[in-house]
Amino acid sequence: MKGKFTTIAALLLLLIGAVGTLPARAQVSELPSLREIYKDCFDLGAAVSIAGWSDQTLDKHSELLAHHFNSLTAGNEMKPDATQPWPGTFRFADADRMIAFAQEHGMKVRGHTLVWHNQTPQWFFRDGSNQLIYEKETITAEDRQAVIHRLEQHIEAVVGHFGDAVYAWDVVNEAVSDTGGSIYRQDSPWYRILGEDYIKIAFRKAHEVNPNAKLFYNDYYIDAPAKRARTLEMLQKLLAEGVPIHGVGIQGHWSVNDTRISEIEQSIRMYAELGLEIQITEMDVGMQGFTEEEQAERYRELFQLFKKYSDVITSVTLWGTTDDTSWRRDESPLLFDANQQPKPAFWALVDTEKPWYANRAEYLGAVAFLSSSGQRLGVLRPGEYSIAELETLGFTLEEVAGLDVEREHLITFYSQEDLRGEAWHFTTTDSFPGRALAAEAKSLSIRFLESKNIALNKPVRASVLEDRAARAVDGDGLTSWSPSAGPPYWLEVDLQGNFLLSRWVVRLHGSGPLGGQVAESPFNAADFRLQVSDDAITWRDEDVVEGNTASVYEGSLDLVPARFIRLYVTRPTSVELNYSLYVYELEVYETGLEESSAKAPGDQAAEVVSMVEIKQLPYEYRQTLPKKQRGRLEEFSYPVSHYIDRERQLVTAQGLKAKEAGRETVEGEPITKQAYIYLPPGYDPEDQETKYNVLYLLHGVGGSRYEWLRGSGTAHDTYVICNVLDNLIASGEIEPLLVVFPEGRSAHDWTDTAFNPQKTNLLGFYYFDYELRHDLIPFVEANFNTYADITDTSPEGIAFSREHRAIAGLSMGGMQALNLTLGGHRHDFAAFTGAAGDPQNGLAPTVLAQGMQDLFAYVGAFSNAPTSSPGTVLGQGIASSPHRIELLYMTCGDADAIAMQSYRSAADGLREAAGDNLGAFYQVVLKGRGHDFSVWNHGFYNFIRLCFGKVETAEPVDILLTLD
């Protein structure tokens, strides 16, 4: 085999975009260290629990803490109720253990907190008669002095005990009011007894005890405008009085959808203008109602902001380690899950300039190589490799049957070393031709294809409310296109260029402020689809969504080429009689990969193949054309002298021998059979000058000459398959041709459609080649105007005629097209052969068919039946013939429980065995499709567009596609 390539111009290719289930469980030591990543920006800390009654994360998460963080904060163990639960009784053991851990691992410690209205024992606020002072009508000077003494004594003891082991203290926590009317929190016992003086006393005493410590005021929501204003007023007043405040702690208990980044940035600037150091002290980001990916994006934006202000932000502390130990565990707000595994939010922080999944791929791998059983053979990170390097992972390319590729990554194999020569591109696929590539590829690369939203601010058209449609592509998640006149609705975007699309996102009702910014809602669009077009006239579906309730839908696209895209909505909500649609944003992403990037320079074969794009059958091609543009069906009868008789013998008029036939042969009277033929528009039997190509289209095991006609469906009382032919001819995609729909059972009981391996009707399928060669083709070419002439047996005549005939079939007909044309096995009921039969159908292989490569240059097999011969056998049949198969087109649905295994078996090894005697070899897998006409119509439509000179190539070409 001299060459094999896949062009991106044809690229519906092997590409299935995937969200990325790639990594297995990650060990802590395998992960990038966040403390190392941010060491030149700010300290990165975590809050821990130590006490016996707590989750004890200091012990349980010790490896995680030491690897990722260089600062610790006690969640509770340094608060007043923990350090001095009763007057004069101090407990420091838990906090001391945390400090010892920190010192052992080169970590700083923040003290939290000295003064707070919560978690402070009530004895701090009782008078000599045990009455709560803040409840008294009159608070005396003696009462005030007693509380001040206790406050100062507590600070002196606690700060003095820890000394320089604690470099910073949250001295006062949450003193500012949440509501207007007052700067200070009115329900604080400290404020009710001492007024604002308690803040001054606390800071001055802490500074007196340890002048080296940094002293912070710490609070929540102080990045929101109203509370920020009150906090700034308080701080300005305290600083003006010389109170030793060194910094402000913004707690940072955020959610995916709350405070805007702009408000947080403004807060950082305003506090920094006071000359204060800023620390984010208790950060977490709740994701209730949102996805982990949306949470990751929020974390990424926040850390981008923190890095921007790293000259004033000196520390960022996460309030916990894992979701299950968080005080907000119902909102899963942290970087690690309950199994201490990194979430997308973690990976978002590794490099805030890249998507989280690109970061993950850099460390845990971008491509997993899978065996035929789905077992992971090895994983590679992005980079450049020689094929030989795979052996260091303990496997060879021949063993690989599937790939699991991280989102927006591409693995490319090259026919030469150093990433040169012909190229084959893949994303995730479970139909990877490892054995074929092993013989061809010498090097490979794995790369991240960074995508961008190319629909942003592009020109739009819409079915209704066109003046508001631009809101759906303006990048603002708070504005929407919201029609309500009644579906269907469509929104079209001119991308203003040709792109390869990798994914798309639509943000619906529930994602916006009116929908409550929730993850699911019945008011989200239920049934819709993304369509693409090259001319804004002919549209094809690329992603069809039904029964949706998600507020944000994201779909993968298989590097789909497009100039225009259209959102087409048929059911705007799941609520009966509600026709209101809300589209807050429609996003479409491209990869930056050019359509021509996979084509080898000067490769003429690539250009020939790329002329015909494998695609979905256009909806409009199913429709009936005006009468003058329609072809017609005729039924004809013809004599058959080659068939299986009642005794399971082959009746023949050619003197065939039993050894060749695999059974006794006899002479006998011919039988008469019927077939249909499609005659194209304008066909005139008297016009002997106009000639036509001919396709023989074979039915399945339970079908007949009617199966392709009736099974493909009807439109306006005409058969869809005839409409498709009419439309293909009218559009100029194919030349007018004849299509024969025969009865595929060459047996005396050919009208019996029952499946019974003991009957002769089933046996007749495996001897149809004799009927074709000696009875049907001679009749067709004698009675209809065909280029082919089977009576011309000269080498030139045979070569000419076979270029004008094609054969294809569905299911059992697909088996016939393979086995009988290419030289695979005939079959019979195992009880009659003495061989072991297939337990599913009772059939066993007998002799090899002679093959019909001298008759057909183009062969199609759609969901080929289980008795199809293995690819090595079929390939050997191809290789042994003096005639080259120009096109072999195989297709199957990946949900086909009947034929998917036989499809793979027939394709596996075929190319290697066939060598140069096989030209273009298409293998097309349709995602989610079964054993039905959705596959067979698709196969017929694309096969006929490739036949009769469309893909003749000097070099062998393999095109492997996985399509929606």
Side-chain angles (χ1 to χ4, degrees), residues 861-883:
F862 316 146
S863 311
N864 50 285
T867 51
S868 301
S869 292
T872 52
V873 173
L874 298 173
Q876 289 166 4
I878 293 173
S880 64
S881 172
H883 305 285

Side-chain angles (χ1 to χ4, degrees), residues 32 39 227 272 291 341 379 425 468 528 593 595 610 719 774:
K39 66 181 180 181
K227 190 170 183 178
T291 66
Q341 290 297 293
V379 177
H425 299 268
R468 297 171 62 91
F528 53 91
L593 188 67
E595 290 192 36
S610 66
Y719 293 121
H774 300 297

Side-chain angles (χ1 to χ4, degrees), residues 738-768:
L738 312 180
V739 180
V740 179
F741 303 91
E743 295 279 353
R745 302 172 184 84
S746 291
H748 71 96
D749 51 351
W750 61 271
T751 58
D752 184 354
T753 60
F755 178 84
N756 186 335
Q758 301 182 52
K759 285 189 173 184
T760 53
N761 68 335
L762 188 65
L763 181 60
F765 277 108
Y766 297 96
Y767 286 86
F768 184 61

